[in-house]
Amino acid sequence: MRRFLPLFLLAIAQGQSPPFTHLERVSDEPVLAPQGDGWQAAGVFNPAVIRDGSRYVMLFRAQDKAGVSRIGYAVSRDGRRFDARLDPVLSPEAPYEANGGVEDPRVVKIEHLYYLTYTGYNKKDAQLCIARSRDLLHWDRMGVIMPAYKGLWNVGWTKSGAILDRRVNGKYWMYFMADAKDRPGQMGVAWSTDLQHWTEALDHPVVTTREGKFDSRVAEPGPPPVMTPQGILLIYNGADNQLVYRTGWVMFDRDDPAKVIARSDEPLFEPKLDWEKKGQVPNVVFVEGLVRTRGEWRFWYGAADQYVGAAVAR
């Protein structure tokens, strides 16, 4: 009788696995924490990070005591000690952001411009938006790119746009989260030629939630995906039925970004420290920042919707 390997084990046998098996914290303390009584008072979390010359630039979500979110800016030489600007670099202004805020940034550099995807929330709808910048400080809004309640399978909100930094088959590709009619919190895929107008590649989610696994309730893109020799690697955030958030990975075909070739059965990272388990939303590690350096992969994550932590995979 022939025996067939499960997809995950077959993928590893063929070399289609991530270049690391787990993430290690660089510190038992947050690298960024709430401060003052203003726009950073309630929480600082869910950071995007990008390398800019010799500096690490972090764009993070900050929340005030009224629950309104803004995007802050911080810099670091070593990726561990960050100095934040006194004022946010993006505040709610557009109608699709009013009274709720701008949330959960991801940042990618394409040619000479930086593109920031974020959630615009107006206390009624959450929608995936995009802005662009030349310096990471001054941002020009490009608008909502995946409207709520629309699409080939989405019936709810849209969030969490993770864009590959290069074209595949002449197109840019983005993974995002939306709500299917039978099950919310799943991952879709879309393509664009101009980074502003996006077309869904499939009429169904590309990465679904899985009963009995760490991602049974939510499968949400993390940092922008990375092209590797094995495939397009996307780190994602999964939540189980108790809404404990852990970190997983999925690999897509290098020539077909809408084709999954491997996916983690077990998480790479999970909440363990007190400040990851207790906060505005308990039991959450939520990776949104990723930078590859020589010899290691560096990650930054939101913890309990209140702090920013850092981790590394060697």
Side-chain angles (χ1 to χ4, degrees):
M1 181 177 69
R2 294 183 65 186
R3 296 183 180 273
F4 293 90
L5 285 172
L7 174 62
F8 172 71
L9 295 179
L10 179 62
I12 290 179
Q14 294 174 343
Q16 296 162 341
S17 61
F20 44 82
T21 57
H22 65 282
L23 279 60
E24 300 176 1
R25 291 164 181 81
V26 302
S27 171
D28 287 340
E29 300 297 327
V31 299
L32 211 62
Q35 57 180 306
D37 294 320
W39 62 283
Q40 302 179 74
V44 293
F45 54 106
N46 294 2
V49 179
I50 196 165
R51 193 75 177 266
D52 179 35
S54 61
R55 308 180 309 162
Y56 295 93
V57 175
M58 177 187 291
L59 298 164
F60 59 92
R61 177 180 174 182
Q63 204 170 55
D64 64 22
K65 292 181 178 179
V68 177
S69 293
R70 298 167 179 84
I71 304 299
Y73 175 104
V75 295
S76 171
R77 293 294 179 183
D78 61 6
R80 301 184 183 190
R81 293 176 290 272
F82 282 86
D83 295 320
R85 286 172 58 94
L86 293 178
D87 299 314
V89 295
L90 197 67
S91 298
E93 296 176 1
Y96 49 83
E97 305 160 352
N99 302 315
V102 290
E103 305 176 351
D104 301 347
R106 278 92 168 158
V107 65
V108 63
K109 187 177 185 180
I110 298 176
E111 297 178 351
H112 61 285
L113 291 175
Y114 298 97
Y115 290 87
L116 181 78
T117 54
Y118 67 94
T119 302
Y121 179 53
N122 61 5
K123 291 291 180 75
K124 178 185 177 185
D125 304 317
Q127 303 182 92
L128 181 54
C129 310
I130 195 168
R132 62 188 170 196
S133 173
R134 294 183 181 274
D135 60 7
L136 293 166
L137 288 169
H138 305 90
W139 294 93
D140 297 321
R141 287 170 172 79
M142 300 166 67
V144 176
I145 54 175
M146 302 295 290
Y149 316 112
K150 295 182 180 179
L152 298 181
W153 55 271
N154 174 53
V155 297
W157 292 355
T158 58
K159 294 183 175 184
S160 309
I163 299 174
L164 185 65
D165 66 355
R166 64 199 67 189
R167 294 178 186 262
V168 176
N169 299 324
K171 302 170 182 176
Y172 295 108
W173 295 82
M174 176 179 68
Y175 303 98
F176 65 96
M177 190 177 76
D179 299 323
K181 185 176 181 180
D182 59 334
R183 192 180 296 177
Q186 301 189 92
M187 196 185 305
V189 59
W191 60 266
S192 174
T193 58
D194 62 4
L195 294 164
Q196 183 170 10
H197 303 91
W198 293 86
T199 300
E200 291 180 77
L202 302 173
D203 62 359
H204 54 83
V206 67
V207 176
T208 61
T209 51
R210 300 177 294 184
E211 287 298 330
K213 301 244 180 231
F214 71 94
D215 49 13
S216 59
R217 182 80 171 267
V218 174
E220 183 170 357
V226 178
M227 183 68 79
T228 74
Q230 292 77 27
I232 300 169
L233 174 65
L234 178 68
I235 302 299
Y236 74 93
N237 300 294
D240 63 17
N241 289 342
Q242 285 71 49
L243 289 181
V244 177
Y245 275 80
R246 301 176 175 91
T247 307
W249 63 268
V250 59
M251 191 84 73
F252 301 92
D253 190 281
R254 285 174 56 93
D255 299 316
D256 184 359
K259 180 182 179 182
V260 174
I261 58 174
R263 184 178 177 184
S264 56
D265 278 339
E266 302 296 331
L268 296 167
F269 194 57
E270 61 185 345
K272 289 185 177 180
L273 301 178
D274 187 64
W275 49 275
E276 298 167 348
K277 292 183 174 182
K278 299 176 182 178
Q280 293 195 104
V281 181
N283 297 312
V284 172
V285 291
F286 197 91
V287 175
E288 284 191 29
L290 167 60
V291 173
R292 276 194 295 182
T293 61
R294 181 174 296 179
E296 63 184 17
W297 299 61
R298 311 190 79 168
F299 300 86
W300 294 264
Y301 62 96
D305 277 15
Q306 197 160 352
Y307 305 97
V308 172
V312 65
R314 305 187 189 283

